Amino acid sequence: MKKFVSLIILMLFLSMLAACGNSESAGGKNNDSGGSDVIKIGAIYSASGGGAPLGKSQMETVKMLVEQVNENDGIDGKKIELIAYDDKSDQNEAVLSMKKLIEQDKVLAVVGGTLSGNALAMVPLAEKSKTPFIASATSKQIVKPDDNSSREWIFKTTQSDDVVIPKILAYLKEKNLTKIAWLNVANQYGTSAHEEFNRLKGEYGIEAVIEEEFEATVDDAKAMLTRVKKSNPQAIIVWGTAQESSVITKNLHQLGMKLPIIESQGIGTKEFIELTGEAAEGVIFPAGRLIVAEQLPDNDPQKETLIKYKEDFKAKFNYDANTFGGHTWDAFYLLVNAIEKAGTDKEKIREQLENTKNFVGISGIFNFSKDNHTGLDESSLVMVQIKDGKFVIAE
């Protein structure tokens, strides 16, 4: 009996050793990104907090797209395992989430970065670990920093300030609006655009008669806007995202300032119209073609892709897709396209992204290169106006 018990104990011990060996193999080098039949992709978006009007649709978009790809046998037969974190619109949360994705979850690549400041805070971790990171925030510093620090592993799917600002300046010049009041939110998104505006305005014959900043938490800016009114501008540029820009726009309306108001692409959601009410009427801003997709001619190369995304999103979440979710569509499918062509080697994925040409996306038609990790130019934008509570192509 004792020999029998000893034999049972020995067998159990050997079984445990075998199990430990299998676990080690599953977490080994060949399976860091999810195992032989799984591809781990990380996502970090501002699904709550101040950036939620942008980040909520981004988080929902990436989850929807993963479901769709997996329902169609994944990537070369491998299912995607999405590990997604809400950074709560906080830079520290963004950094901690990025660190966790890279070091603990061992993802193959990361998409995300709703807010420019958050995306910039995540960049050094991606660069150091040599992990492909495709951001969905605007600042050109994400891919083209002033200090020339490395951005070898960083890409982004939004039009940079150096694409958006020239589009606006060209519009102002065309309309003979040369004396401008510039107002921007006091964060990376606003200051980056302000720098670009000041760098380029002279080339278009534009003069800033007053330049002001407002906080992202602003709830009343009438004192600042009274100064703006006294400067007698021909038009006003308001650079922020939906929540804070709504406050400024309503205050302008309350002060009776019936001037052309040009805003950033950060207001391109129905939420801005809902928050701003009648004061949103007439506001003009640059945007990708998604929010005016139905107004495009049938031969537009993006139209079919835009309409499908809008229909899929509305059917699943029961509210309209927006430009910001579109940036995530681009990031996800650019990554999927790269993995399909390059496999699961990070360096080969990076190289494939860098050499992607004529990729028809939501934000535009992407053409990346070694010196261009945004891949979009001014042709990816149209000027949009709010009329009767709807987005229309501006005349």
Side-chain angles (χ1 to χ4, degrees), residues 34-47:
S36 59
D37 58 350
V38 174
I39 295 172
K40 283 188 179 182
I41 293 176
I44 305 171
Y45 292 108
S46 300

Side-chain angles (χ1 to χ4, degrees), residues 138 140 144 156 158-170 196 199-200 204 239 265 286 363 372 374-381 383:
T138 300
K140 75 171 187 176
K144 195 186 295 183
K156 77 183 188 74
T158 61
Q159 294 87 354
S160 290
D161 310 316
D162 54 358
V163 171
V164 180
I165 294 297
K167 185 77 174 181
I168 288 176
L169 291 173
E196 202 66 20
R199 185 177 73 86
L200 295 173
Y204 293 81
W239 206 269
Q265 69 272 40
S363 305
N372 183 353
T374 299
L376 298 171
D377 59 23
E378 289 177 47
S379 67
S380 65
L381 294 165
M383 296 303 290

Side-chain angles (χ1 to χ4, degrees), residues 366-386:
F366 290 84
N367 288 284
F368 290 114
S369 69
K370 183 177 181 180
D371 299 319
N372 183 353
H373 279 201
T374 299
L376 298 171
D377 59 23
E378 289 177 47
S379 67
S380 65
L381 294 165
V382 292
M383 296 303 290
V384 175
Q385 188 167 26
I386 298 172

Side-chain angles (χ1 to χ4, degrees), residues 236-276:
I236 299 170
I237 294 177
V238 180
W239 206 269
T241 55
Q243 287 185 314
E244 65 269 21
S245 294
S246 172
V247 173
I248 304 300
T249 308
K250 285 189 291 186
N251 284 171
L252 287 167
H253 182 73
Q254 289 160 0
L255 291 173
M257 297 179 70
K258 297 181 180 180
L259 300 172
I261 300 173
I262 296 90
E263 307 210 18
S264 80
Q265 69 272 40
I267 68 160
T269 70
K270 285 291 182 70
E271 183 170 355
F272 173 79
I273 297 175
E274 292 166 0
L275 288 170
T276 312

Side-chain angles (χ1 to χ4, degrees), residues 290-310:
L290 178 68
I291 57 177
V292 291
E294 291 79 6
Q295 301 168 44
L296 299 173
D298 289 341
N299 63 355
D300 186 288
Q302 289 180 258
K303 186 170 184 176
E304 183 179 351
T305 301
L306 297 170
I307 296 294
K308 184 179 187 308
Y309 169 55
K310 290 187 76 169

Side-chain angles (χ1 to χ4, degrees), residues 186-222:
N187 60 22
Q188 183 63 45
Y189 179 63
T191 56
S192 179
H194 188 198
E195 289 170 4
E196 202 66 20
F197 173 76
N198 279 330
R199 185 177 73 86
L200 295 173
K201 65 187 180 185
E203 297 178 20
Y204 293 81
I206 304 296
E207 174 191 355
V209 295
I210 188 169
E211 297 166 80
E212 295 276 359
E213 281 191 339
F214 53 89
E215 296 298 324
T217 54
V218 63
D219 58 10
D220 190 315
K222 294 189 191 72

Side-chain angles (χ1 to χ4, degrees), residues 343-383:
T344 55
D345 180 280
K346 288 185 177 182
E347 176 59 41
K348 290 180 180 178
I349 291 170
R350 190 204 68 76
E351 289 176 359
Q352 181 59 48
L353 285 168
E354 198 169 76
N355 288 286
T356 297
K357 306 293 181 188
N358 298 315
F359 180 90
V360 178
I362 302 298
S363 305
I365 298 175
F366 290 84
N367 288 284
F368 290 114
S369 69
K370 183 177 181 180
D371 299 319
N372 183 353
H373 279 201
T374 299
L376 298 171
D377 59 23
E378 289 177 47
S379 67
S380 65
L381 294 165
V382 292
M383 296 303 290

